[in-house]
Amino acid sequence: MSGPRAALRGHGRELVSTLVVLALVVVGVALLWPRDPAPSTPAAPAPTAAADLTGLRARAALPSCPSDSPPAGPLAGLSVPCLGNGAPAGLGSGQALINVWASWCAPCREELPALAEYAARPGAVPVVLVDIQDTDAAALRLLTELGVRLPSVTDPDGAVRAALQVPPAIPASYVLRADGSVARVDPPVPFTSADEVAAAVETLTR
């Protein structure tokens, strides 16, 4: 009887080994099976709570935005949100320097203090910032970090970008004249000093 029992035990061990191998194969296939690829674009940032945005606006302490827009020209009739309080705003109806920027733009970060220094000079034309392709929270944080307090609007629908024909690379600056016409600062090299800003404004407002 020992022969048949030994044979059965041998078959049992073979069966167990086979099952173990099958289980390992199943696990390996499951681990190597292709999954859905990761999305090609990052997920949109979570919306900032209204209370958080109110706090960011309070810390930024930005001046009021212009309430009117030019009577003529490409910016006539445009109304966009004011970054400082979310209220509808214009870009002004007199001479102004309009600067298109964003918090993710490294040259913009370098240029903003020069714009603020120019705007603080006696006789300077008003400087209005236009924040594009950005979030209000990120823009407010950067302005607070830099200590830059200039009127700033946002452009959620791209209306200002379309009207000014803003190039893909920013920052870009434009001089708004009293008659509503607009002249772009060219070449669009970021300002590094208040003197450079003053010279560009003087050239384009003659």
Side-chain angles (χ1 to χ4, degrees), residues 102-179:
S103 66
W104 43 263
C105 161
C108 300
R109 173 186 287 268
E110 302 299 324
E111 182 181 63
L112 285 167
L115 292 168
E117 183 183 348
Y118 163 77
R121 289 184 173 182
V125 303
V127 177
V128 181
L129 305 179
V130 180
D131 181 44
I132 68 169
Q133 298 176 312
D134 209 351
T135 66
D136 289 5
L140 290 165
R141 288 190 186 100
L142 178 58
L143 292 177
T144 301
E145 176 188 335
L146 297 177
V148 171
R149 291 182 171 84
L150 293 171
S152 187
V153 301
T154 63
D155 189 33
D157 299 323
V160 177
R161 277 179 290 156
L164 294 177
Q165 299 181 2
V166 176
I170 57 172
S173 294
Y174 302 79
V175 170
L176 172 64
R177 301 188 179 103
D179 64 358

Side-chain angles (χ1 to χ4, degrees), residues 99-100 107 111 166-174 184-191:
N99 178 262
V100 180
E111 182 181 63
V166 176
I170 57 172
S173 294
Y174 302 79
R184 189 173 79 180
V185 176
D186 197 32
V189 178
F191 296 119

Side-chain angles (χ1 to χ4, degrees), residues 22-110:
L22 286 174
L24 292 174
V25 169
V26 170
V27 170
V29 170
L31 291 174
L32 296 175
W33 191 264
R35 292 171 172 77
D36 292 336
S40 57
T41 55
T48 304
D52 293 339
L53 197 56
T54 298
L56 289 171
R57 284 173 171 157
R59 286 191 288 277
L62 300 181
S64 300
C65 296
S67 59
D68 52 0
S69 58
L75 299 176
L78 277 184
S79 178
V80 287
C82 181
L83 180 60
N85 57 21
L91 293 170
S93 57
Q95 287 188 346
L97 178 66
I98 298 173
N99 178 262
V100 180
W101 71 290
S103 66
W104 43 263
C105 161
C108 300
R109 173 186 287 268
E110 302 299 324

